[in-house]
């Protein structure tokens, strides 16, 4: 049985390794440790800090969790992360990933998460990519196992529309470029 998340939110961390010198926040349910003083949890919160990347996350997970390879839920929301690290691909059991309110500006960053076959929930709103034309459709195509995105269900109709959108030759054009090509 697994316990509540190991919570390092609101710790003013500028790097993930900084969590090694901290005690997790106490929650409503107490954290349970094994004889090696590792937590029986499959989730970790690093939200509301000042993280720019996730360098050292593997070491922190190994230090605090009994089975770090079984991490199922990771909250990195409200940080300063600009890119999606390839380390995420090693988290094969990851099911829920919160990345909202960061600084991700390139929609292609999401493509890196395509290998995560169990990832069914992601949040990306509050990042610059949210303003990109076709944002939701792109994410749905890149992550075919999604059931929820930005706290909203992904429907079968959305999947169909995303596939059609992908084949549309005008999908990458801005409205100004589209009007220019029509006037020529």
């Amino acid at each position: 049985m697994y316990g509540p998340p190991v919570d390092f939110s609101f710790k003013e961390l500028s790097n993930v390794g900084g969590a090694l010198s901290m005690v997790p926040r106490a929650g409503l349910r107490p954290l349970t440790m094994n004889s090696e003083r590792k937590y029986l949890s499959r989730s970790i919160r690093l939200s509301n800090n000042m993280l720019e990347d996730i360098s050292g996350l593997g070491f922190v997970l190994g230090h605090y969790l009994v089975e770090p390879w079984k991490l199922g839920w990771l909250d990195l929301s409200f940080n300063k992360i600009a890119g999606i690290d390839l380390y995420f691909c090693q988290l094969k059991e990851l099911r829920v990933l919160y990345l909202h309110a960061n600084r991700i500006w390139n929609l292609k960053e999401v493509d890196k998460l395509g290998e995560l076959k169990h990832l069914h929930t992601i949040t990306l709103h509050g990042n610059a990519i949210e303003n990109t034309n076709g944002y939701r459709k792109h994410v749905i195509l890149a992550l075919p196992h999604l059931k929820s995105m930005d706290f909203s269900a992904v429907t079968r109709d959305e999947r169909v529309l995303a596939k059609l959108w992908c084949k549309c030759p005008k999908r990458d054009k801005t409205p100004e470029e589209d009007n220019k090509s029509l006037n020529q």
Side-chain angles (χ1 to χ4, degrees), residues 45-59:
R45 284 187 181 137
L46 289 160
S47 63
N48 294 281
N49 284 296
M50 298 170 286
L51 303 175
E52 293 183 12
D53 60 48
I54 62 163
S55 300
L57 180 62
F59 188 76

Side-chain angles (χ1 to χ4, degrees), residues 19-101:
L20 295 171
S21 64
M22 306 240 167
V23 174
R25 293 165 47 97
L28 295 175
R29 295 185 307 155
L31 288 167
T32 306
M33 294 179 132
N34 69 0
S35 60
E36 296 173 359
R37 305 205 37 85
K38 291 188 179 193
Y39 295 106
L40 298 168
S41 179
R42 291 190 63 196
S43 53
I44 191 163
R45 284 187 181 137
L46 289 160
S47 63
N48 294 281
N49 284 296
M50 298 170 286
L51 303 175
E52 293 183 12
D53 60 48
I54 62 163
S55 300
L57 180 62
F59 188 76
V60 169
L61 294 177
H63 179 78
Y64 282 109
L65 302 181
V66 172
E67 298 175 318
W69 60 92
K70 288 189 174 182
L71 185 74
W73 184 72
L74 177 59
D75 185 352
L76 291 165
S77 61
F78 295 97
N79 277 290
K80 298 178 180 181
I81 297 168
I84 294 175
D85 195 291
L86 290 175
Y87 177 76
F88 283 114
C89 296
Q90 295 177 29
L91 301 173
K92 299 293 185 195
E93 297 291 318
L94 193 63
R95 287 162 166 66
V96 178
L97 178 59
Y98 290 169
L99 285 169
H100 56 279

Side-chain angles (χ1 to χ4, degrees), residues 95-98 119-124 136 139-140 143 145-155 158-159:
R95 287 162 166 66
V96 178
L97 178 59
Y98 290 169
L119 186 65
H120 61 71
T121 301
I122 193 166
T123 60
L124 291 162
R136 188 167 171 92
V139 175
I140 290 169
L143 307 174
H145 303 291
L146 277 188
K147 294 178 184 175
S148 176
M149 178 182 160
D150 295 340
F151 301 114
S152 177
V154 174
T155 67
E158 278 186 297
R159 290 187 198 287

Side-chain angles (χ1 to χ4, degrees), residues 151-183:
F151 301 114
S152 177
V154 174
T155 67
R156 186 174 14 174
D157 288 347
E158 278 186 297
R159 290 187 198 287
V160 170
L161 289 172
K163 287 178 184 175
L164 291 172
W165 171 81
C166 176
K167 296 174 185 175
C168 179
K170 292 199 281 186
R171 74 179 167 99
D172 293 328
K173 292 183 181 178
T174 64
E176 294 81 21
E177 291 172 326
D178 195 30
N179 286 336
K180 186 177 178 182
S181 65
L182 287 174
N183 294 330

